[in-house]
Amino acid sequence: MEPQLVGPGPYRATRLWNEIIEHFRAGMPLRKHRCRFKSYEHCFKASEAVDCLHELLGSNQNFGPEVTRNQTVKLLKKFLKNHVIEDIKGRWGKEDFQDDGHLYRFPPSSPLKSYPKKPLCGNEVIKFPDWNETKAGISQEHIPVKAVAMNSEMWYKRHSIAIGEVPACKLIFRRELTQANIEEIWKSQALSRLQKVLGLDSLNEVLDVKTVNSKHILQNAYNVNKQGIVILEDKSKELPHWILSAMKCLANWPSCSDLKQPTYSGFERDVFKTIVDYFGQMKEPLLTFQFFDVFVSVLGLLQKHSKAIEALQISCLLLPPENRKRLQLLVRMMARISLNKDLPPLSESVRTRTLMVQAFSHCILCSNDEMDLDELLAAKLVSFLMDNYQEILSVPTTLKSSIEEHVLNLQRVQIKYAGADTDATLPQSFCHQISTDEFEYQRATGSQEPLAALLEEIAMNKEISVKDKKKKLKQFQKSYPEVYKVRFPTPETEAVLFPEKTKQKPPILRWALKKPFQPFHRTRSFRM
């Protein structure tokens, strides 16, 4: 049975846990072994289990060949603690599994994780204020609005009522957007895009959207420095200065700006251990327990590179600002250390990159559930983060631009035309109350120029027939006689648009008048 790639979706970690157990039970060879002068049937050595499970994980598309033997041993410790396996005397419950010759066996049935019942909540739709409502005490019909300059094309399109094509219009006033409105718009748009990228029917399958803090999203998007690192409003949540100095020292080795040059051998290893100990004592990972299922679902997209990048960009945007900043600083340090050839080896037996993944995976992503493959999943995610941290930990520009355009559109006043496909929008800054006298003056004079431009366009339009042009001009004259009289003060000026055609005599008749017909005479050239 060939293991298949488990894509994004609900309970992905649970599906992977159950799949690995089933494949391990099916693929682990069971033989007869002797221990202390006694034979045991259907069992296996610890080292044989490590060999089998390590090969199984390495060939599985969901994990790959990056899985180390040490990670396999840690997973078998979990198996022993959760009674997936037991020793030959039936003991289990402790994580004392070692890569040695001790004998183990499978219980009659290994416990598979049950799938939680889906919550009864449907898709969460964030409700926004009704932008079409007018504020209390303001009549929508009698609010004067300052005239807005439009080109003739827009005026012709929107005010074609003058020639009897479109019924009357009305203004739609919208409430002023508050900070809370903008935060909810960011939350709604970000979650909607994440759901689409993951290909889910609802984000409720992997995340309780009610717990997502919209303030965090907005702060992560805008409160950043030139390098894109989050600027925290609460300075008490910053990393301690001594940890920042230690991280800068290893990231910029051998140019340590905050520390003096080391005076003893092994200094860099002590600095690294200090950093590992600090991040290792955190009670919750940087990606938080709340978003564990989201990030595990994203792992199912790693083969689709661009989608995985976008999904991780949005997911990291949902984090608390202090977590996002620590993640940015930590992953950047890890990537620089891995590529720094001038830095002495931080371990005698493990490559630097592998050491980075092993040391910090647990503090970046882990599950609150003991029966989980969080260490393997975290290692895969952290490796991808290190390779693409500059893209992943930046604000997604496409999402930001679309939201800003959406917010800008909501902050406009619209002119609604019955039967029109689209609406003309007026900047909100022009929508303010004016006196009645000023309104009457604007109504009388403010529209003269665009109306004149509209009339000129009708008059000069060569694409319409003479009959249609005369009809439109007559309708315009009836609606706006004053504007029409300025352009065509006399009937002669109007007649210029429709010159009379002069009748011309047939060419053959004119030729006949000029030279009468002459009979044909034979010449000498025709003689034989």
Side-chain angles (χ1 to χ4, degrees):
M1 183 170 55
E2 185 70 20
Q4 299 295 323
L5 179 66
V6 179
Y11 321 123
R12 185 174 188 268
T14 300
R15 286 183 286 161
L16 289 172
W17 172 272
N18 293 342
E19 179 186 277
I20 290 299
I21 291 176
E22 291 173 350
H23 283 87
F24 180 49
R25 286 183 67 100
M28 182 67 218
L30 303 179
R31 297 194 298 270
K32 179 179 178 180
H33 289 83
R34 291 182 60 85
C35 180
R36 295 181 181 179
F37 308 106
K38 189 175 180 180
S39 297
Y40 296 92
E41 300 285 346
H42 308 295
C43 58
F44 51 85
K45 291 182 180 181
S47 58
E48 294 173 344
V50 176
D51 293 337
C52 177
L53 186 58
H54 186 226
E55 182 180 354
L56 187 153
L57 293 171
S59 60
N60 192 306
Q61 299 180 63
N62 299 287
F63 303 101
E66 299 86 5
V67 178
T68 64
R69 191 173 183 87
N70 183 51
Q71 291 173 329
T72 307
V73 172
K74 289 182 179 180
L75 179 56
L76 284 166
K77 289 177 182 284
K78 283 193 173 185
F79 281 0
L80 180 59
K81 184 175 183 179
N82 293 284
H83 205 196
V84 177
I85 59 176
E86 62 185 19
D87 68 11
I88 53 175
K89 294 184 179 180
R91 293 174 297 191
W92 58 279
K94 295 182 179 181
E95 293 189 2
D96 54 358
F97 183 92
Q98 300 294 330
D99 189 0
D100 53 23
H102 281 76
L103 298 180
Y104 293 90
R105 65 190 181 192
F106 291 115
S109 61
S110 295
L112 300 179
K113 290 179 66 175
S114 59
Y115 295 95
K117 293 183 179 180
K118 290 187 177 181
L120 297 178
C121 57
N123 293 347
E124 285 295 321
V125 179
I126 299 176
K127 296 182 179 180
F128 299 103
D130 186 358
W131 310 114
N132 295 332
E133 283 188 10
T134 57
K135 294 183 178 180
I138 299 179
S139 173
Q140 189 163 335
E141 296 180 359
H142 303 290
I143 297 181
V145 179
K146 185 176 180 180
V148 179
M150 288 187 177
N151 57 34
S152 59
E153 181 180 357
M154 176 64 75
W155 192 266
Y156 179 81
K157 184 177 181 182
R158 294 306 175 196
H159 292 263
S160 53
I161 180 177
I163 54 177
E165 293 182 359
V166 182
C169 65
K170 69 173 183 177
L171 291 176
I172 297 178
F173 295 88
R174 291 172 169 173
R175 294 179 179 177
E176 182 179 353
L177 287 178
T178 64
Q179 181 70 10
N181 295 147
I182 296 176
E183 290 171 356
E184 289 303 309
I185 291 172
W186 264 91
K187 175 180 175 178
S188 174
Q189 297 280 1
L191 294 180
S192 176
R193 182 57 189 168
L194 179 60
Q195 176 181 326
K196 184 176 181 179
V197 174
L198 292 178
L200 302 177
D201 295 330
S202 171
L203 269 185
N204 288 316
E205 299 174 353
V206 296
L207 173 67
D208 184 0
V209 297
K210 294 180 180 179
T211 62
V212 177
N213 193 322
S214 57
K215 294 182 181 294
H216 292 169
I217 302 175
L218 207 64
Q219 185 175 348
N220 290 334
Y222 289 103
N223 291 10
V224 297
N225 60 19
K226 294 181 179 179
Q227 290 75 38
I229 306 297
V230 177
I231 300 174
L232 299 183
E233 295 177 352
D234 187 355
K235 300 304 179 183
S236 65
K237 296 181 179 180
E238 295 278 5
L239 282 172
H241 177 72
W242 55 274
I243 283 293
L244 283 173
S245 298
M247 295 173 69
K248 289 180 182 178
C249 177
L250 293 185
N252 301 318
W253 187 277
S255 302
C256 301
S257 57
D258 291 355
L259 296 175
K260 296 180 179 180
Q261 284 296 102
T263 56
Y264 63 90
S265 177
F267 171 80
E268 65 283 347
R269 295 189 182 186
D270 289 344
V271 174
F272 179 70
K273 184 177 184 303
T274 300
I275 300 171
V276 173
D277 291 343
Y278 176 83
F279 282 97
Q281 50 83 34
M282 294 190 308
K283 296 181 179 179
E284 189 174 16
L286 294 176
L287 299 183
T288 74
F289 295 134
Q290 173 189 356
F291 297 113
F292 175 78
D293 288 333
V294 176
F295 285 101
V296 170
S297 289
V298 175
L299 286 173
L301 293 174
L302 292 190
Q303 292 184 341
K304 302 175 181 178
H305 185 84
S306 59
K307 282 193 173 184
I309 294 290
E310 184 179 4
L312 286 173
Q313 280 182 329
I314 301 174
S315 301
C316 291
L317 206 61
L318 309 180
L319 297 172
E322 59 271 19
N323 288 45
R324 179 177 171 88
K325 181 170 185 176
R326 295 186 178 201
L327 181 68
Q328 288 174 318
L329 296 175
L330 179 60
V331 177
R332 185 176 66 175
M333 180 204 73
M334 294 165 60
R336 289 183 178 181
I337 290 177
S338 300
L339 299 175
N340 191 348
K341 297 181 179 180
D342 296 328
L343 182 67
L346 299 174
S347 173
E348 297 292 345
S349 57
V350 182
R351 292 188 305 113
T352 302
R353 178 184 171 85
T354 304
L355 180 63
M356 294 297 109
V357 175
Q358 291 179 356
F360 296 109
S361 290
H362 191 73
C363 72
I364 293 177
L365 178 71
C366 72
S367 172
N368 208 15
D369 187 356
E370 291 183 351
M371 295 175 61
D372 223 324
L373 304 171
D374 53 356
E375 292 180 358
L376 297 177
L377 298 173
K380 196 171 186 64
L381 178 64
V382 170
S383 296
F384 192 78
L385 272 174
M386 290 173 60
D387 293 336
N388 305 277
Y389 76 94
Q390 290 181 326
E391 287 183 89
I392 293 173
L393 297 177
S394 62
V395 179
T397 54
T398 303
L399 177 66
K400 185 178 179 181
S401 300
S402 65
I403 293 177
E404 289 175 346
E405 183 178 350
H406 179 63
V407 170
L408 185 62
N409 184 57
L410 291 178
Q411 291 175 328
R412 295 180 183 273
V413 177
Q414 288 191 344
I415 303 177
K416 182 68 176 180
Y417 292 83
D421 295 334
T422 57
D423 299 323
T425 57
L426 306 180
Q428 193 172 17
S429 59
F430 287 159
C431 183
H432 61 276
Q433 194 164 358
I434 58 178
S435 65
T436 305
D437 293 339
E438 186 178 356
F439 171 67
E440 292 297 333
Y441 174 77
Q442 289 181 6
R443 185 175 66 173
T445 62
S447 60
Q448 299 297 315
E449 184 177 344
L451 282 173
L454 173 62
L455 178 59
E456 187 68 22
E457 183 169 327
I458 296 174
M460 296 294 104
N461 192 341
K462 297 181 180 180
E463 296 182 359
I464 59 177
S465 64
V466 174
K467 183 179 179 181
D468 289 339
K469 182 180 293 188
K470 288 182 178 180
K471 180 180 178 182
K472 291 179 184 293
L473 289 174
K474 185 176 181 181
Q475 290 172 338
F476 192 100
Q477 184 182 19
K478 184 178 180 181
S479 300
Y480 304 103
E482 295 179 358
V483 179
Y484 191 87
K485 189 174 181 180
V486 173
R487 175 62 176 84
F488 302 107
T490 62
E492 289 77 10
T493 56
E494 183 179 355
V496 174
L497 297 177
F498 310 104
E500 295 184 0
K501 295 183 178 180
T502 58
K503 294 184 178 180
Q504 296 182 352
K505 295 182 180 181
I508 190 169
L509 294 178
R510 285 185 286 136
W511 177 83
L513 291 175
K514 291 181 180 179
K515 187 176 182 180
F517 177 76
Q518 300 292 332
F520 177 76
H521 297 282
R522 186 182 297 274
T523 62
R524 296 182 62 179
S525 59
F526 286 94
R527 296 176 182 177
M528 298 301 294

